[in-house]
DNA sequence: TGAAAGTGTAATCGAACCAGTTACATACTA
DNA sequence: TAGTATGTAACTGGTTCGATTACACTTTCA
């Protein structure tokens, strides 16, 4: 995964859908709320549809809608849907590499780094879209919107 | 932080230093073990020096050396030393943004994502360079180096 | 039935980032 | 002083990514 705004955009997008409720929302409208281009939203939406978080209707009055209540959508599910690369990358070395350390470090590192990322994912699994939106709504009501 | 091999390179580099022990190791030699260019190693080394993990001597017979035993160097310390950007980025929106959700989502997201990254860091804090090298050495002895 | 409002998708552009490399100044040792 | 190192700047090529444009396709509704 690159230094990446896609995850934030995805959560924001689903947040808008959750906020609006049952009515389909167009990618153009979401793009305005997120501050980007409709195509960017649709690119992300494609993956969310593929993973069953969202359904899309084409044509007039169409747009996107959540397939389940926000309480049943965890941030981990959103993260997984985006199919990002790993945060860390362990460069390959070639099998005939001279240094024994070089050859052995790689699998060890991969294991450790994967475990570290799993910790992060586990945390995201504990937070639902509903949790996020509760905080957002609270901020709106209190007027802390800046 | 970008999809990033620097962290892996840094751990690998310090692993070589730990393996060699007290004798200074040149960036050229490390670069060969890591499979990259000496300048890349020196760029990373600069930061490790800045954070006190490593000391460097110039001139003939010079090179780098750990400043403390591997058991006292955690992966989290290495990670911090690299001063990478955050894994996630929450795009800025401008204060006069029209959508109230857009304005309020940002701080909430930032908080959640920071917490997620802290989980990862906490895990890295529990693992020392010595732990990693123990696994590496075990792999070498057993001959599982591929 | 046809216009309008949507999405799907490909292609292109420019900016940013990064590893690799070269080159050279500087520092240290023998 | 010669040789071995690091420090650092500069350039390059590849990759990624968001933004944008363009166009085909789908659906609704008047």
């Amino acid at each position: 995964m690159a230094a990446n705004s896609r995850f934030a955009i995805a959560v924001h997008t689903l947040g808008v859908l959750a906020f609006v409720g049952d009515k389909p929302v167009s990618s153009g409208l979401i793009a305005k709320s997120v501050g980007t281009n409709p195509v960017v939203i649709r690119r992300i939406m494609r993956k969310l549809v593929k993973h069953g978080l969202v359904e899309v209707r084409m044509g007039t009055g169409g747009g996107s809608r959540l397939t389940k209540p926000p309480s049943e959508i965890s941030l981990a599910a959103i993260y997984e849907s985006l199919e990002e690369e790993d945060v860390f990358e362990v460069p390959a070395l070639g099998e005939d590499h001279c240094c024994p350390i070089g050859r052995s470090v790689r699998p060890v590192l991969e294991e450790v780094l994967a475990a570290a990322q799993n910790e992060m994912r586990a945390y995201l699994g504990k937070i639902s879209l509903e949790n996020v939106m509760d905080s957002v709504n609270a901020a709106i009501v209190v007027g802390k919107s800046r």
Side-chain angles (χ1 to χ4, degrees), chain A residues 129-143:
Chain A
L129 183 59
E130 187 176 41
N131 297 147
V132 174
M133 291 312 290
D134 282 347
S135 299
V136 170
N137 285 325
I140 293 179
V141 169
V142 178

Side-chain angles (χ1 to χ4, degrees), chain A residues 103-121:
Chain A
R103 285 202 305 271
S104 303
V105 152
R106 194 171 134 81
V108 173
L109 262 185
E110 273 174 348
E111 193 182 324
V112 171
L113 297 182
Q117 289 175 61
N118 280 338
E119 291 288 314
M120 193 181 70
R121 256 193 291 254

